[in-house]
Amino acid sequence: MENESSLAISPVRNCFANKGHEMQSATEQNTGRKLLATDFYVDVKDIGRFRLAKRTMRDEFQIGAEYSRLTEGVDTPTPWLAQMATMVANLKVLAVTVPEDWNIDEMDPLDDESYSRIFRVYEALRAREDSFRAGIGKSSKKTGQGAGEDLAVLVQEEIPTYTE
């Protein structure tokens, strides 16, 4: 039986180590969030590949709670704190797998590159989410009150990848 310390974020070398938590490569680490068919990838140049969860209402609440923890409940955080806490909260909640060297909590706050990396990954996440909502790259078919139309949900065969 695994002890609790083995459940921390760590690289997974065996693609089939934990059912439901399989990695795409040995350079990814699982954040503990279960892999789902609705997950998607973003590749961020010079940072790596991130598998992210499709945002749900539950995620929004978890993001809000994480934001509150990061701002320590400050009623009116500075614009900088609000922006950083928003990006970090989103990435922490929605990340399913991250590059092996990515640890947002351990980043150096005195290194401007840390903020640049967070911003670039968040920007890739939002661009990908916006592409879902805008219908970019897929045919749009209006459905509604119609006679005899098949309203079955179409499922993509592969998890989509976004490249910065």
Side-chain angles (χ1 to χ4, degrees), residues 3-30:
N3 62 31
E4 285 189 36
S5 64
S6 69
L7 299 177
I9 295 175
S10 61
V12 176
R13 302 288 177 211
N14 180 346
C15 288
F16 304 101
N18 298 318
K19 186 170 177 71
H21 294 278
E22 290 88 2
M23 299 291 102
Q24 294 298 315
S25 76
T27 60
E28 293 178 60
Q29 60 181 332
N30 193 308

Side-chain angles (χ1 to χ4, degrees), residues 4 6 10 22-23 39 70 86 93 113 119 126 134 147 163:
E4 285 189 36
S6 69
S10 61
E22 290 88 2
M23 299 291 102
D39 295 346
L70 291 168
T86 295
V93 170
E113 183 63 23
F119 178 76
R126 292 298 301 130
T163 303

Side-chain angles (χ1 to χ4, degrees), residues 24-79:
Q24 294 298 315
S25 76
T27 60
E28 293 178 60
Q29 60 181 332
N30 193 308
T31 63
R33 184 170 177 141
K34 187 175 179 181
L35 289 106
L36 297 173
T38 54
D39 295 346
F40 58 92
Y41 285 102
V42 294
D43 291 312
V44 183
K45 187 178 177 186
D46 299 324
I47 297 176
R49 174 175 254 208
F50 293 78
R51 183 175 181 149
L52 301 159
K54 181 180 178 211
R55 187 183 303 257
T56 65
M57 187 62 74
R58 181 177 200 68
D59 292 327
E60 277 301 299
F61 297 139
Q62 291 175 330
I63 290 166
E66 183 63 23
Y67 175 92
S68 185
R69 280 189 289 277
L70 291 168
T71 60
E72 297 192 3
V74 172
D75 286 335
T76 52
T78 64

Side-chain angles (χ1 to χ4, degrees), residues 9 29 98-108 117:
I9 295 175
Q29 60 181 332
V98 297
E100 189 172 28
D101 64 347
W102 178 269
N103 186 333
I104 206 164
D105 290 327
E106 303 272 328
M107 289 184 176
D108 183 354
R117 289 168 48 102

